[in-house]
Amino acid sequence: MSSTQRVAIVTGGSRGIGRAAAERLAADGFAVVVNYAARAADAHAVVDDLRAHSRTAIAVRGDVADMHDVATLFDTAEHELGGVDVVVHSAGVMPSGTVAEFDLAEFDRVVRVNLRGTFVVNQQAARRVRTGGAIVNLASSVTRFSAPGNAAYTLTKGGVQALTLLLARELRGRNVTVNAVAPGATETEMLTEYLAGRPDERTRIAGQSPLERLGTPDDIAEVISFLAGPARWVNGQVIFTNGGAV
């Protein structure tokens, strides 16, 4: 790897938006660290594919809500690739359920992964991202839609947005940008699992956008690429990336 090559960590990089972000950043010239929690085969498949295209990539297992795992993730990026310039925090879970009926044990799991995980990853990023770098969190357009049946996920993604603005201000003087991308409904395994058995709901959601389709992971990765690279005057923002859905 060139000593001047920039390095990106992508959490949740084994599938969906995280995988698309890892692939796009690698194509942009980054060395990429693909983080995963449980899908080792998927993560290593991403790395193998990137290496087959002469990209620099490694896979590192780690629970984003575990401070020791996340510290090790950053240690590995620094030791093997020379440092960290960009962090894309994509890892998350999205179980459905209303406020009245939501299981509190499941709620605690969602908060742990989506909210604590974001805080822990951002904490290490705030300490370690090099000058001129970028932190990109994955929020969600659900915070605008407030769709019934998506209680815990909506709550935690609102927290992601709040932390993004706060951290951008805390990093004053570091020349490190902090932004969030808030996707609308995107064709991923997560969405498929969420909409299981509800084909009419998929059609309805796709129709909310004037573009009359669901988003793709590549649609979201394009915006992540912009925030990770040329967008040096975009800071403390939440970019709603949903095709104009209302």
Side-chain angles (χ1 to χ4, degrees), residues 172-191:
R172 172 183 291 273
R174 288 273 303 279
N175 191 24
V176 172
T177 62
V178 188
N179 294 288
V181 179
T186 306
E187 285 281 15
T188 62
E189 289 181 38
M190 179 183 286
L191 183 68

